[in-house]
Amino acid sequence: MDSSDYNPTPHVIPEGENATPLEVVGGDCTATEKLIIIMCGLPATGKTHIGNRIARYVSFFLDIQTKIFNVGDYRRELFGASLPAEFFDHSNKENMAKREQACDAALSDLVDYMKQDGVRVGILDSTNSSRKRRAHIRHVLQKENKLKCKIIVLESVVDKKEVIEQNVRFIKRNAPDYEGKDEKEAMEDFHKRREMYMNVYEPVDESDGSHIKVINNQTFVVHNTGGYLPQKVVHFVMNLHSHPRVFYLSRHGQSEYNLLGKIGGDAGLTDAGLEYARRLAVFANDVVGKQVIKDDETGEEKKVSRPARLWTSTLRRTKETAQFIKKEVITTQKWDNGEELEWIQFQGRTRRNLDELYAGVCDGLTYAEIAEKFPEEFQRRQEDKLTYRYPRGESYMDVTLRLETIVLDIERTREPILIVGHQGIHRLLYAYFMGLPRDQAPFVSIPLNTVIELTPHAYGCDEKRYVLLSKEELLKDGQDEPVTSMPMKEMAENTQKKSSG
């Protein structure tokens, strides 16, 4: 029977047959809801880090257009980056006027941005240290009747000396204000700047309206904050911390299906895959599970063990890749509450959400067989890899949904994590942390036999790649995924160059 006989008026989604409805991520319930977040807090409390993480999460997982307006960027553009700490003296009226000029310029651009169709979230990143300044910002936003935005003040409070010092050292290394400056001078200048703000700082309270107060990334005060978007932000922020962290992405070793060019399945490893697994175990012990510490008195450096985690998918090839990694008890780990316990190094955690994108009826086929058996499906995938869904299978969009909980776990975890997963999974994780648009994720280069080290921070994410088994050591790696056709081909090639360069 022809489908037109029993379904003459089918439900057709605009993204095309077997595609993922884009509104699955974001949801119709928020299509008109707009949110402005006003960051607040002393320097070295992680405001920029929190703001950037929120923007990344909202845009990638909720598919909501978001932009940060950093007042420091406006100040540097107007008055230069090399400004002494005295510039931030609140008793200096001339400099205060300049700083207010930078803030108002950022605020004006924020208002213009939020007026645009399709724009949903804007973030004003600054110290906003006084109630007067915060009241002025709220007044400007509220008088713009067309905005109809919810406004939340997000205050970051850090009163632990060791955390402040850690943040100051990071800012000295990465902040644009101190680029190329002497380390000692930069540290002294920043501490003076921070003291200038401390002299006039007024904590957020109920007079600031809806607000979220984050205290040492341990205590959270949420006041009069309701609605879908604000609650998503609250939940996300409660998973963040500002401690330095690093994690490692590794595909499984070469599988029997890789060798044959088949996709999906649950095959075991080839001999080459097992060799990679052995080398990965050495890497895990020597790199992931170790850190270099420096003796303050002698300056001598030495490697010591550090607690590390291991995650795999439920599929055979990832578990076999992790099988040689040693799981031994190391020195006790002390938590924030003072509790001490023995740490089992690389105690494996198997996670269903890390399983490879499911190819449905195409599972176990080569791309050539898919082109022959399902030519229309093959062409649809070539035209739009992001939203294309295999018949009875998944799309990259579907996988994005189940990776949200994984990302939240990565965001809140402090120990290094070695994630042994799959190409499709790591493409999305890499794109999220490296700040790539979602539509570029399906084209990221995630080769076999390579570990990708990612170090997220307030101003982006650093990357380093380790090749543990070269292609010259393999007779065939089976990586013959077809180059996506136009109009996506150029995007695919550019993304692969960026992620492999």
Side-chain angles (χ1 to χ4, degrees), residues 155-218:
E155 181 185 25
S156 179
V157 179
V158 176
D159 54 21
K160 291 186 175 182
K161 185 177 179 180
E162 65 274 16
V163 178
I164 294 173
E165 287 299 317
Q166 171 188 285
N167 291 346
V168 169
R169 285 193 295 271
F170 173 82
I171 290 170
K172 175 265 302 175
R173 291 194 304 268
N174 296 278
D177 284 351
Y178 296 105
E179 187 175 348
K181 288 195 174 184
D182 176 76
E183 179 177 341
K184 185 178 179 181
E185 290 181 4
M187 292 282 284
E188 291 176 354
D189 182 86
F190 188 83
H191 279 294
K192 287 180 183 178
R193 181 189 300 192
R194 194 170 191 278
E195 287 176 9
M196 298 287 185
Y197 280 102
M198 289 177 67
N199 293 334
V200 298
Y201 189 78
E202 296 175 306
V204 169
D205 58 23
E206 292 187 9
S207 66
D208 288 286
S210 299
H211 65 262
I212 305 166
K213 189 187 289 278
V214 181
I215 306 170
N216 297 317
N217 291 112
Q218 294 175 318

Side-chain angles (χ1 to χ4, degrees), residues 30 32-38 54 58 62 64-67 110 113-114 119-124 141 147-154 210 212 225-234:
T30 67
T32 59
E33 186 179 18
K34 293 194 175 189
L35 174 66
I36 293 176
I37 300 173
I38 303 169
I54 291 172
V58 169
L62 306 184
I64 292 175
Q65 193 170 341
T66 306
K67 186 174 180 179
L110 170 62
Y113 173 76
M114 295 302 293
V119 166
R120 306 280 294 287
V121 178
I123 301 174
L124 184 67
L141 296 176
L147 290 183
K148 296 181 180 178
C149 296
K150 291 184 177 180
I151 303 171
I152 293 177
V153 177
L154 200 164
S210 299
I212 305 166
T225 302
Y228 176 81
L229 275 177
Q231 288 300 315
K232 291 293 284 187
V233 169
V234 169

Side-chain angles (χ1 to χ4, degrees), residues 79-98:
F79 310 112
S82 300
L83 297 171
E86 288 71 25
F87 180 83
F88 301 90
D89 184 351
H90 288 69
S91 65
N92 187 313
K93 293 184 179 179
E94 180 182 352
N95 288 338
M96 275 297 295
K98 291 180 179 179

Side-chain angles (χ1 to χ4, degrees), residues 3-35:
S3 61
S4 61
D5 295 333
Y6 64 87
N7 189 17
T9 55
H11 176 185
V12 179
I13 60 174
E15 291 79 14
E17 189 176 352
N18 277 336
T20 310
L22 291 175
E23 279 294 341
V24 165
V25 182
D28 289 340
C29 64
T30 67
T32 59
E33 186 179 18
K34 293 194 175 189
L35 174 66

Side-chain angles (χ1 to χ4, degrees), residues 67-87:
K67 186 174 180 179
I68 295 179
F69 296 83
N70 184 287
V71 174
D73 291 340
Y74 286 80
R75 167 177 52 77
R76 283 182 284 273
E77 185 177 341
L78 290 169
F79 310 112
S82 300
L83 297 171
E86 288 71 25
F87 180 83

Side-chain angles (χ1 to χ4, degrees), residues 261-487:
K262 294 176 178 288
I263 65 172
D266 194 17
L269 299 183
T270 63
D271 289 342
L274 289 170
E275 175 60 25
Y276 174 75
R278 293 186 181 93
R279 297 188 188 188
L280 181 64
V282 174
F283 179 87
N285 180 71
D286 293 348
V287 179
V288 183
K290 292 288 193 299
Q291 64 181 339
V292 177
I293 61 171
K294 187 175 182 179
D295 190 293
D296 293 334
E297 296 182 0
T298 65
E300 181 184 355
E301 293 184 346
K302 62 177 181 179
K303 273 189 174 183
V304 298
S305 294
R306 62 177 175 181
R309 299 176 183 269
L310 171 66
W311 296 351
T312 71
S313 76
T314 66
L315 298 175
R316 178 182 170 189
R317 53 193 182 274
T318 63
K319 290 188 283 187
E320 288 187 1
T321 302
Q323 65 181 305
F324 300 114
I325 297 175
K326 293 181 180 179
K327 300 170 179 60
E328 55 188 10
V329 177
I330 63 171
T331 53
T332 55
Q333 168 77 357
K334 188 172 183 178
W335 302 106
D336 289 339
N337 62 3
E339 180 185 358
E340 294 186 351
L341 66 151
E342 291 184 333
W343 180 273
I344 302 176
Q345 191 75 312
F346 296 114
Q347 186 174 24
R349 184 177 178 188
T350 302
R351 310 199 62 166
R352 174 74 173 81
N353 287 20
L354 289 173
D355 284 1
E356 179 62 298
L357 186 154
Y358 179 49
V361 300
C362 298
D363 187 61
L365 300 178
T366 66
Y367 287 109
E369 289 170 339
I370 295 172
E372 180 183 350
K373 294 175 182 288
F374 307 103
E376 292 184 359
E377 295 299 328
F378 184 83
Q379 186 58 35
R380 288 186 183 121
R381 181 180 182 275
Q382 293 289 86
E383 291 170 356
D384 190 351
K385 282 180 70 176
L386 177 68
T387 64
Y388 171 76
R389 177 185 283 145
Y390 284 102
R392 301 182 185 178
E394 289 183 300
S395 69
Y396 274 96
M397 291 285 286
D398 295 319
V399 176
T400 300
L401 288 174
R402 60 176 163 92
L403 282 183
E404 182 178 352
T405 56
I406 295 292
V407 163
L408 290 177
D409 271 359
I410 295 174
E411 293 279 16
R412 66 170 164 257
T413 299
R414 299 184 185 183
E415 299 80 24
I417 312 170
L418 173 58
I419 305 175
V420 183
H422 307 268
Q423 180 170 246
I425 299 299
H426 287 343
R427 279 173 165 169
L428 288 164
L429 292 177
Y430 179 94
Y432 170 76
F433 282 100
M434 292 300 292
L436 297 177
R438 279 195 317 194
D439 57 4
Q440 292 184 18
F443 311 110
V444 169
S445 173
I446 309 287
L448 285 174
N449 309 316
T450 303
V451 179
I452 302 174
E453 176 187 287
L454 295 180
T455 307
H457 52 78
Y459 300 95
C461 184
D462 296 331
E463 171 189 2
K464 186 175 182 180
R465 296 194 176 208
Y466 304 83
V467 178
L468 305 189
L469 188 66
S470 66
K471 277 198 171 187
E472 288 74 22
E473 297 178 81
L474 298 174
L475 293 176
K476 179 183 178 184
D477 66 4
Q479 301 302 288
D480 61 348
E481 183 179 12
V483 177
T484 311
S485 61
M486 293 297 289

